[in-house]
Amino acid sequence: MDLIIQSGTRVDYTVFFGMKMDTRRCHPGASSVSRSPLASVPRSLNGYRGSLRDHAQAGEMANSKYEYIKSFETEDKIIPDVYITVRVDGRAFGKFAERHALHKPVDERLVALFNEVAARVVQAFSGQVALAYGHSDEYSFVFCRNVDVFRRRASKILSVIVSLFSSAFVRSWEKHFDASTPLQDLPSFDGRLLILPSFRHVRDYLAWRQVDCHINCQYNTAFWLLVQKDGLSKDEAHRALRGTDTGMKNEIMWQRGVNYNNLPQMHRKGSVVVWCRGRGDQNSRQVSRPLQNVYTPLPTEVHLLCLHCDLIRAADDDPLLFSSFGSLDEDVHR
């Protein structure tokens, strides 16, 4: 389950959850190899290379006549010097959870799956995503300020992240769920793109999502205690919680043997996926075991960590959480 990125060699490889990838095409600073696009066609398909080349040439000629159609495309280039943020959210995930009999209030198998999927998305953008944060069935990806990914086209960025997230979710399902819980429905996710003008807006956005995590965790914990311990129906539990404040929900949990403050930080604070040089200063932050790396630190090594920590009270110059918003976004390309 190790994720280690080692740079500085002519051909870099990324070991990502047991999958080896050639990252030359991901690292802008890496040595490029001049190859024809047709060179990637397998030798067993050599017989088709001629028809592929003829088709490409025909397309070039056709474009000279019909290229005006491109003028109907929507211009959606994002202005420079802002933070591009994409949030992916599960669609109808309540029904999906029921269909797969997921544990309530939190299924840690699903949390581990979401964290791995988010890490795959972050890794796929090769250091251009500074930080990812997720809880429940959502994950947000904050890009470094001046990235030129897909020429900053909003539709391209949004569609690629959502499709990457969806495909990685399906591909990784069996790793986290045994044969008794096969994937029965195709999961779907919607996505939205935000343009955040400054780092302060980024901090406020992350605080907003973590507050939402606290609210959901507290409500769901109290709700499922009423259903599972008191035998209330779901409608009755919702009615019992209607109009309750934080203190009242804490009291409901306390009377049933649960101290909210003792719940795992992963449940109360969500998950943060960040780039980190060496082991970093983890302090009291909890590190998710599925993403925890066991390795020998190298001076130039940059890798990913999954943390469960307080984003709201963290300092702006936190060396582990927010260093990617400074110079680290350049370091991971080297």
Side-chain angles (χ1 to χ4, degrees), residues 1 16-17 93 96 100 102 107-121 136-139 141 164-177 181-183 187 189 266 271 273 288 290-291 306 308:
M1 301 291 288
F16 191 84
F17 298 102
F93 232 71
F96 180 88
H100 294 86
L102 300 183
D107 193 319
E108 295 196 358
R109 299 170 300 175
L110 186 67
V111 175
L113 171 59
F114 265 90
N115 291 340
E116 176 176 338
V117 170
R120 286 183 179 273
V121 173
S136 185
D137 62 346
E138 71 170 58
Y139 240 103
F141 302 89
L164 268 174
F165 198 96
S166 302
S167 59
F169 186 94
V170 173
R171 180 173 182 175
S172 304
W173 177 271
E174 292 183 355
K175 184 186 297 185
H176 298 275
F177 292 87
T181 311
L183 186 61
F189 299 88
M266 179 171 61
S271 301
V273 176
S288 181
L291 291 181
C306 181
H308 313 292

Side-chain angles (χ1 to χ4, degrees), residues 183-233:
L183 186 61
Q184 302 182 60
D185 295 329
L186 286 178
S188 60
F189 299 88
D190 62 59
R192 60 209 71 188
L193 187 146
L194 296 85
I195 301 172
L196 304 177
S198 69
F199 181 66
R200 177 50 47 196
H201 291 95
V202 171
R203 291 299 311 272
D204 288 346
Y205 173 82
L206 294 173
W208 172 46
R209 301 321 306 150
Q210 190 161 67
V211 167
D212 192 64
C213 175
H214 279 290
I215 293 172
N216 287 344
C217 179
Q218 189 181 53
Y219 187 93
N220 289 337
T221 302
F223 175 85
W224 286 105
L225 283 172
L226 293 174
V227 172
Q228 295 169 351
K229 286 203 169 186
D230 291 15
L232 272 62
S233 68

Side-chain angles (χ1 to χ4, degrees), residues 239-258:
R239 285 196 295 269
L241 291 173
R242 190 174 300 155
T244 57
D245 58 19
T246 296
M248 296 168 70
K249 292 185 184 73
N250 283 338
E251 185 62 25
I252 290 173
M253 288 184 274
W254 180 264
Q255 291 175 356
R256 289 155 183 80
V258 175

Side-chain angles (χ1 to χ4, degrees), residues 300-321:
T300 59
E301 183 175 307
V302 179
H303 64 281
L304 289 173
L305 283 179
C306 181
L307 307 171
H308 313 292
C309 58
D310 194 334
L311 288 172
I312 299 172
R313 296 180 178 85
D316 285 344
D317 59 353
D318 187 294
L320 185 55
L321 291 174

